[in-house]
Amino acid sequence: MSVATAKSMTRDDVMREAGKYITNPESVELIRHAADYAYKHHEGQFRKSGEPYTVHLDNVAYILAELRCGPKTIAAGFLHDTIEDTGITREELAAEFDDEIADLVEAVTKIGALKFRDKNDPEYQAANHRKIFIAMAKDVRVILIKLSDRLHNMRTLEFQPEASQKRISQETLDVYAPIAHRLGISQIKNELEDLCFMYLNPEEYHRIAHLVEAKKAERDNSVTQMITDITKLLKEHHLEFRIFGRSKHLYSIYHKMESKQKRFDEILDLLAIRIVTKTELNCYEILGYIHATYTPIQGRLKDYIAVPKQNMYQSIHTTIIGFEGKIFEVQIRTERMDEIAEMGVAAHWRYKEGSRYDAKTEQKEIEEKLSLFRDFAEFAGDNESASEYMDSLRRDVFETSVYVMTPMGRVIDLPNGATPIDFAYRVHTEVGHTAVGAIVNDAMVPLNTELHTGDVVQIKTMKGTGPSEDWLKIVKTNQARNKIRAYLQHKENEKKAEKIPAGEKILIDELKRRGFDPDEYVEKRRLEAALPEFKMKDINDLFYAIAVKSINPVKVVEKLTNEKRSVADEMLSRILAREAPKRKQTSHNGIIVPGIESMKMTLAQCCNPVYGDEIRGYITKNEGVKVHRADCRNIAGMTQRMISVEWDTEDTDRTYESNLTIVAHDRNFLLTDIVTCTSQFKTPMNQVSASVNRENLTSTIKMNVSVRNLDQLQNLIANLRKIESVISVERNSH
Ligand code: MN
């Protein structure tokens, strides 16, 4: 195959090639219309080569026609760059053509926006990129268009700067050529490989090209002689067949020399002949006559008819000693096998007029029949049966992973069910820690929204915020979970550290009060000796326990000094205790019941009280005390089982969830304004949903925010009410 001389095709060439198998006037008109439309919208655009942009479209469409794709695929081929380069939207394409074509173009555009990681990235794995590509494509026609697009771009790569040539070639060799191979499209695969080879390793490319050229006359002569001999032999047996010589593509020669450590002249199958006949039986007959006439080389017979390759390839290969003792590789196959060998999936799906095309059936058959996925087995381990492998791969590609993108097109792979929080932590730890909202495909969504392949995700962050315990229940990746845990642990430690000096001071005061010299007793060795008594391992833990009153400092003093309190001392401490301010009570959820040491308390979900609200407790049968807002309808008029409760004024660093309902006249950017306002008040938004009432054109926005106290909440509400077109903002109470 001569790669450098691929001829540039025109729009007429496309119509002629497509006309070979598409004759239905409507279909021809569709292609013509797509071409007109693309020409009109790309007008005035030029490629780096200086040619009009439409030359690229003609050639992509032509390759698709060569692959015998259907009229919609060829139309999409003409249109494949309209979304990307002319600002046409998917909706406009759907209106002008139909949803199917619009979807194809949109999918091609999305794949085009993918930024694969480069080879220097430690996480780089070409196999992953291929999976991403296929998962994103969803439809094999999208892959065919993208491959045709890439093939033409590779053919015209000479107009790109050298750095781009190398980068694009490497990506093509890593991602696109293997996909063409998986799909069995050897025509495209071979040409892509040779082009990549030429740009990535020009010296070797030209060396091998030269060797091939130098021996060409001699080889051609041998092949011609051999063809004559075999033709005569087979004619005697009245067989129908086509026979021709074929040349290996340069990259495969290079690859063979590299992998088998052989010199050019040691490569056995440089002289190759292909015989294409009618039936499978004919193939075996021909093999029989050839082996009867020429000596086959042991171990070189391969029957891919009985055992097809995973990409559907079927053929018989044998190597014989032929004309003048030269070694020839002979391939024997049927017409159908030959077509599949050259065009793979495209041959399988070649467009037949009159038959009804159904994208779903096609997908299903592809998943069932194609090797595409089975070939990834190399990465999944051997010894799995094909069907088991298919299952695991389907899980792997279609279920286990979702592939989403940053607005810049970088691909992030996540496990199924992953949320924007997982995404945020994957992008950067700090983005995760300060995430307050997410925009998925241009719409604001709650942080617990499940992401899907192809989503474009953007994270809204706010300095000074941090992850909450609840996030641990939402996230799916260990990475996010570990980082959230580490953050919470760190916060916990900070809090603890703050209380240690207070604990130490309480102990010193108690010692002083009892007449002991603190310097003598608050000393490392003595303190450490006392630790086992309190089941502690660290002095700081002991101070912390004293500070939070889980250990009585009196007991610590007794242990340190080995002296019990005297009776007088005991009495004195009682008198002091009576005069001292009321002892702190243990609170639950930041609430205390006056006079009662500890009681289980939960905030009622109906009215969601926040710190500062007037509150009442209701004693439930099994769940302790439910705390409602004093004005909650659910406790209106109740007296029995009611108990007075108070906010714990020493426990103010909690946050409380509050549900707000905002009613507004619907307008553009309403939600954006509400979200912006909410973030300005440092109230993390946990959830937001909006619905439009079509009758009076009002929008109802429900959101759940976290606030520290009533002041903050009232402040937020007052400011939400100031937003243009907002009618009312109310806290929910139901
Ligand atoms: Mn293109």
Side-chain angles (χ1 to χ4, degrees):
M1 180 171 313
S2 134
V3 294
T5 58
K7 189 169 158 261
S8 188
M9 296 298 166
T10 67
R11 183 174 159 170
D12 287 341
D13 293 324
V14 180
M15 297 318 288
R16 198 176 313 113
E17 188 65 21
K20 289 180 186 167
Y21 64 100
I22 297 172
T23 53
N24 178 341
E26 266 174 50
S27 303
V28 174
E29 183 46 36
L30 171 68
I31 298 172
R32 203 181 300 283
H33 179 43
D36 282 341
Y37 188 87
Y39 268 59
K40 190 173 118 204
H41 287 92
H42 283 284
E43 201 183 342
Q45 295 180 354
F46 294 88
R47 303 201 94 216
K48 285 229 164 73
S49 63
E51 292 173 313
Y53 198 85
T54 51
V55 169
H56 172 58
L57 309 175
D58 294 337
N59 279 279
V60 171
Y62 186 85
I63 296 165
L64 291 167
E66 276 187 306
L67 291 171
R68 295 295 181 260
C69 291
K72 289 197 179 188
T73 315
I74 297 177
F78 273 115
L79 299 166
H80 82 273
D81 277 326
T82 50
I83 293 183
E84 173 79 21
D85 292 336
T86 74
I88 300 277
T89 63
R90 186 211 162 276
E91 282 62 41
E92 285 171 294
L93 285 179
E96 184 76 26
F97 299 94
D98 60 19
D99 277 321
E100 209 175 315
I101 289 176
D103 285 342
L104 289 174
V105 176
E106 187 183 47
V108 171
T109 309
K110 273 190 177 178
I111 293 182
L114 294 182
K115 292 223 168 40
F116 295 117
R117 291 197 200 103
D118 70 274
K119 240 184 166 161
N120 300 321
D121 189 318
E123 281 184 69
Y124 174 90
Q125 246 192 312
N128 277 348
H129 290 176
R130 297 195 283 268
K131 276 201 228 172
I132 293 162
F133 183 105
I134 286 156
M136 293 276 300
K138 289 179 187 146
D139 183 329
V140 74
R141 292 175 297 170
V142 172
I143 302 180
L144 295 179
I145 297 169
K146 200 60 212 164
L147 284 175
S148 306
D149 178 40
R150 180 53 64 107
L151 179 57
H152 185 247
N153 286 335
M154 285 299 301
R155 283 178 183 168
T156 52
L157 203 59
E158 61 186 296
F159 302 105
Q160 295 284 341
E162 197 186 324
S164 306
Q165 288 176 346
K166 295 252 194 255
R167 181 181 53 78
I168 294 169
S169 296
Q170 190 64 53
E171 186 185 84
T172 303
L173 198 60
D174 288 341
V175 180
Y176 290 81
I179 286 172
H181 176 62
R182 302 307 184 237
L183 292 171
I185 314 170
S186 51
Q187 264 180 14
I188 291 186
K189 177 209 139 206
N190 292 348
E191 191 178 343
L192 286 177
E193 282 182 349
D194 274 0
L195 285 161
C196 295
F197 181 33
M198 184 169 84
Y199 287 107
L200 289 171
N201 195 344
E203 274 174 41
E204 277 299 294
Y205 176 88
H206 291 295
R207 189 173 76 87
I208 292 174
H210 181 75
L211 285 169
V212 169
E213 195 54 40
K215 302 266 175 161
K216 194 172 184 298
E218 185 190 330
R219 221 173 37 239
D220 282 355
N221 183 37
S222 308
V223 168
T224 309
Q225 188 57 53
M226 197 63 184
I227 286 176
T228 314
D229 292 354
I230 292 177
T231 304
K232 195 167 157 242
L233 169 70
L234 297 182
K235 281 252 165 83
E236 281 167 17
H237 294 92
H238 308 289
L239 284 156
E240 268 187 66
F241 63 96
R242 292 192 285 133
I243 184 167
F244 47 95
R246 72 178 188 100
S247 52
K248 266 189 131 44
H249 71 295
L250 300 183
Y251 183 70
S252 77
I253 296 171
Y254 169 70
H255 193 72
K256 228 172 199 167
M257 288 165 66
E258 286 286 294
S259 65
K260 303 218 161 120
Q261 291 289 314
K262 291 203 162 150
R263 291 195 322 269
F264 180 75
D265 51 17
E266 289 176 307
I267 302 214
L268 286 182
D269 46 14
L270 284 173
L271 295 172
I273 283 166
R274 184 177 300 165
I275 304 168
V276 182
T277 181
K278 288 215 130 156
T279 66
E280 259 182 44
L281 192 63
N282 292 155
C283 295
Y284 290 105
E285 279 180 88
I286 291 170
L287 177 71
Y289 294 130
I290 286 176
H291 277 190
T293 313
Y294 303 96
T295 311
I297 292 181
Q298 286 289 318
R300 296 276 304 183
L301 174 65
K302 299 215 177 69
D303 183 357
Y304 296 119
I305 293 181
V307 187
K309 282 195 190 179
Q310 288 177 336
N311 61 8
M312 302 192 303
Y313 178 88
Q314 286 187 295
S315 187
I316 292 172
H317 293 188
T318 186
T319 307
I320 54 168
I321 302 172
F323 176 71
E324 286 182 340
K326 291 202 166 71
I327 291 166
F328 290 81
E329 188 194 61
V330 183
Q331 300 178 338
I332 310 163
R333 55 176 74 156
T334 65
E335 290 288 355
R336 178 71 182 151
M337 290 171 193
D338 193 47
E339 192 178 74
I340 287 174
E342 291 300 318
M343 305 209 293
V345 61
H348 188 73
W349 283 104
R350 67 184 300 165
Y351 181 75
K352 290 174 223 64
E353 275 195 331
S355 66
R356 291 248 304 275
Y357 175 84
D358 176 18
K360 275 218 181 81
T361 319
E362 171 178 304
Q363 264 327 98
K364 196 163 164 280
E365 275 203 50
I366 279 164
E367 280 189 40
E368 280 167 6
K369 285 196 178 168
L370 274 192
S371 54
L372 165 62
F373 302 123
R374 239 172 297 154
D375 251 5
F376 285 117
E378 295 158 29
F379 308 101
D382 345 295
N383 291 342
E384 270 176 302
S385 78
S387 73
E388 274 174 355
Y389 176 67
M390 289 291 276
D391 285 346
S392 76
L393 192 93
R394 198 171 293 126
R395 274 199 302 280
D396 207 28
V397 174
F398 292 109
E399 287 165 35
T400 315
S401 298
V402 291
Y403 302 102
V404 298
M405 282 185 285
T406 65
M408 299 302 290
R410 185 178 162 206
V411 177
I412 309 272
D413 54 324
L414 294 165
N416 200 31
T419 63
I421 302 176
D422 294 296
F423 174 88
Y425 277 103
R426 190 59 68 80
V427 171
H428 195 279
T429 305
E430 209 41 46
V431 175
H433 284 343
T434 56
V436 290
I439 295 170
V440 174
N441 306 329
D442 300 327
M444 178 84 192
V445 301
L447 284 174
N448 62 359
T449 304
E450 198 175 302
L451 298 175
H452 300 285
T453 289
D455 283 349
V456 177
V457 186
Q458 200 178 353
I459 298 295
K460 291 275 151 212
T461 59
M462 201 202 307
K463 283 227 166 65
T465 56
S468 76
E469 194 109 2
D470 298 340
W471 286 14
L472 290 171
K473 290 177 226 147
I474 300 169
V475 296
K476 286 286 183 300
T477 53
N478 289 330
Q479 185 194 26
R481 195 168 293 122
N482 292 340
K483 289 194 165 153
I484 295 167
R485 284 220 183 96
Y487 178 92
L488 294 173
Q489 186 63 49
H490 179 73
K491 280 275 148 190
E492 182 74 30
N493 292 345
E494 268 182 6
K495 255 197 224 166
K496 214 169 152 179
E498 281 168 19
K499 297 210 163 152
I500 289 167
E504 187 174 3
K505 184 169 183 303
I506 291 170
L507 183 63
I508 290 170
D509 288 349
E510 183 64 22
L511 282 162
K512 278 187 190 159
R513 208 175 57 73
R514 297 271 300 275
F516 295 109
D517 177 5
D519 290 346
E520 190 184 334
Y521 293 99
V522 184
E523 182 264 337
K524 196 166 178 267
R525 262 215 326 250
R526 280 187 194 255
L527 287 166
E528 275 174 356
L531 288 176
E533 171 82 10
F534 303 99
K535 299 190 171 61
M536 299 266 164
K537 287 208 171 83
D538 188 278
I539 298 171
N540 284 336
D541 289 345
L542 183 70
F543 289 149
Y544 176 73
I546 294 171
V548 300
K549 301 180 171 56
S550 68
I551 290 179
N552 188 340
V554 173
K555 293 266 191 291
V556 183
V557 170
E558 281 172 4
K559 180 66 193 169
L560 285 173
T561 59
N562 250 332
E563 270 183 48
K564 282 261 176 214
R565 281 208 271 206
S566 67
V567 176
D569 210 16
E570 183 72 21
M571 285 182 67
L572 181 68
S573 86
R574 279 188 195 170
I575 291 160
L576 282 173
R578 220 183 308 151
E579 286 167 356
K582 224 165 77 187
R583 215 167 75 72
K584 192 196 174 298
Q585 287 172 298
T586 319
S587 72
H588 249 281
N589 282 326
I591 299 162
I592 50 176
V593 182
I596 295 175
E597 177 66 28
S598 171
M599 189 171 260
K600 187 185 172 203
M601 268 172 291
T602 49
L603 296 171
Q605 296 287 316
C606 50
C607 52
N608 290 101
V610 306
Y611 185 90
D613 273 324
E614 209 185 316
I615 47 176
R616 300 268 182 281
Y618 174 78
I619 305 164
T620 64
K621 284 209 174 86
N622 305 314
E623 296 171 276
V625 176
K626 274 255 186 265
V627 177
H628 293 260
R629 269 150 59 186
D631 60 358
C632 178
R633 253 186 286 163
N634 290 343
I635 55 161
M638 286 212 258
T639 47
Q640 287 208 327
R641 290 176 164 270
M642 297 305 292
I643 182 175
S644 56
V645 288
E646 290 171 15
W647 295 104
D648 182 355
T649 50
E650 286 184 47
D651 189 355
T652 53
D653 46 13
R654 292 170 181 277
T655 61
Y656 300 84
E657 289 197 3
S658 183
N659 292 310
L660 298 180
T661 300
I662 303 165
V663 178
H665 296 294
D666 197 30
R667 64 170 173 87
N668 285 340
F669 301 112
L670 173 64
L671 199 55
T672 315
D673 289 352
I674 288 171
V675 170
T676 312
C677 174
T678 308
S679 32
Q680 277 163 356
F681 284 89
K682 300 211 187 299
T683 42
M685 194 184 288
N686 307 309
Q687 215 156 16
V688 62
S689 66
S691 59
V692 176
N693 182 340
R694 297 267 164 233
E695 271 172 42
N696 57 8
L697 287 175
T698 58
S699 238
T700 302
I701 291 119
K702 289 183 184 294
M703 62 179 190
N704 177 286
V705 294
S706 290
V707 295
R708 292 195 174 278
N709 54 48
L710 185 60
D711 278 354
Q712 192 191 13
L713 180 62
Q714 283 174 338
N715 205 357
L716 171 66
I717 291 174
N719 281 280
L720 286 171
R721 283 181 179 144
K722 285 185 207 157
I723 292 174
E724 187 203 335
S725 92
V726 166
I727 304 164
S728 67
V729 182
E730 299 300 336
R731 288 176 71 181
N732 295 6
S733 175
H734 48 78

